[in-house]
Amino acid sequence: MKFTKIIQSRYTTKSYDYTKKVSKESVEELKAIVHLSPSSINSQPWKFTFIENKTVKTALAEASYFNKQKILDASHLVVFSAIDDIAFFEENIKHYLPEGAIGYYNNFVKPKGMQEIKSWFKQQTYLSLGIFLSACASMQIDSTPMEGIEIDKYKNILNQIKYKPIFAVAIGYRNTEDKNQPMYNPKSRLPIEDIISIM
Ligand SMILES: Cc1cc2nc3c(=O)[nH]c(=O)nc-3n(C[C@H](O)[C@H](O)[C@H](O)COP(=O)(O)O)c2cc1C
């Protein structure tokens, strides 16, 4: 299928059919795809946690405000985290990045200070969200990206020390009556001429 058709068909699912599960095979494929996400200097300052366990998924749903029911009914929840410990990142990259990439980090990212470094980690992680949502759509798996989560509670539940959750994505199959499907709620975007220009 053409990518245009795929991206037109994806939407933020607001209601899931709790009886339908994403197959093990598809979950493995999604893991392999998100693993291949690109990042600046191949820094990969992220962690992706696929939640299948019902008890853990329910605990995370309870810490997800208005997103609770979606997570309870979705097949899986995937939590996207970024490194939260800069010293840990700097030690790690010695083992997997070439000298030139480390030089780029030391000369262009590190001097900006702690806040900016952590923001750079998050920016890389958001890139993987685009890949992940597109992959789901191409596999006809429905998804919900969610920043509406309680970060500190997620961090505790997942026992993350050197990483911090940023957002999560519920995946599964839509409730056929979901009112947010494009056939009921057509896609809304700013006029293309306002946001895309040619110079
Ligand atoms: C980073 C990010 C965070 C979002 N957080 C939530 C959320 O917490 N709950 C929710 O229902 N939708 C959330 N959305 C969905 C957006 O509202 C949605 O993508 C946007 O309205 C465009 O609609 P579409 O995805 O159906 O095309 C989020 C989307 C993104 C990209």
Side-chain angles (χ1 to χ4, degrees):
M1 201 196 288
K2 272 188 89 169
F3 191 71
T4 318
K5 284 260 173 277
I6 292 171
I7 214 70
Q8 279 164 346
S9 71
R10 73 144 291 284
Y11 79 106
T12 293
T13 303
K14 303 282 184 181
S15 175
Y16 283 91
D17 179 343
Y18 67 91
T19 64
K20 292 187 181 156
K21 298 288 167 221
V22 176
S23 71
K24 249 190 164 99
E25 198 184 32
S26 294
V27 169
E28 289 311 311
E29 197 174 337
L30 285 172
K31 287 180 188 168
I33 291 168
V34 80
H35 176 228
L36 288 173
S37 295
S39 56
S40 176
I41 60 164
N42 208 15
S43 51
Q44 306 166 73
W46 50 41
K47 191 178 275 296
F48 311 107
T49 312
F50 283 68
I51 316 288
E52 299 180 337
N53 180 284
K54 200 174 170 189
T55 311
V56 180
K57 190 156 84 66
T58 303
L60 293 170
E62 295 291 346
S64 304
Y65 308 112
F66 49 92
N67 288 311
K68 176 178 168 180
Q69 197 60 44
K70 297 166 199 140
I71 299 172
L72 289 176
D73 293 340
S75 169
H76 291 67
L77 182 68
V78 184
V79 181
F80 290 65
S81 305
I83 289 186
D84 195 35
D85 179 329
I86 295 169
F88 170 71
F89 174 75
E90 290 176 355
E91 184 51 38
N92 276 355
I93 58 177
K94 289 180 193 163
H95 306 291
Y96 67 85
L97 286 187
E99 214 174 290
I102 295 178
Y104 175 89
Y105 170 77
N106 284 328
N107 292 317
F108 296 105
V109 183
K110 195 170 174 172
K112 293 181 180 167
M114 202 177 89
Q115 292 277 81
E116 287 286 323
I117 298 170
K118 287 192 179 179
S119 160
W120 185 75
F121 292 162
K122 286 187 188 175
Q123 288 161 23
Q124 311 316 316
T125 310
Y126 273 96
L127 276 177
S128 69
L129 171 64
I131 300 273
F132 188 79
L133 295 179
S134 302
C136 287
S138 78
M139 293 163 70
Q140 293 176 313
I141 293 170
D142 292 315
S143 63
T144 314
M146 295 170 292
E147 283 179 320
I149 61 171
E150 294 187 70
I151 302 290
D152 289 339
K153 289 189 182 168
Y154 265 58
K155 191 170 156 79
N156 279 337
I157 294 165
L158 299 177
N159 199 19
Q160 292 191 341
I161 310 230
K162 298 188 184 304
Y163 292 82
K164 190 172 185 171
I166 315 173
F167 54 84
V169 181
I171 59 170
Y173 296 97
R174 72 189 71 176
N175 172 347
T176 50
E177 288 174 13
D178 182 6
K179 295 283 174 292
N180 208 37
Q181 293 175 86
M183 66 172 154
Y184 299 125
N185 184 19
K187 284 217 161 282
S188 149
R189 295 293 189 265
L190 292 171
I192 197 163
E193 58 278 13
D194 288 1
I195 51 155
I196 297 177
S197 56
I198 303 175
M199 293 183 99

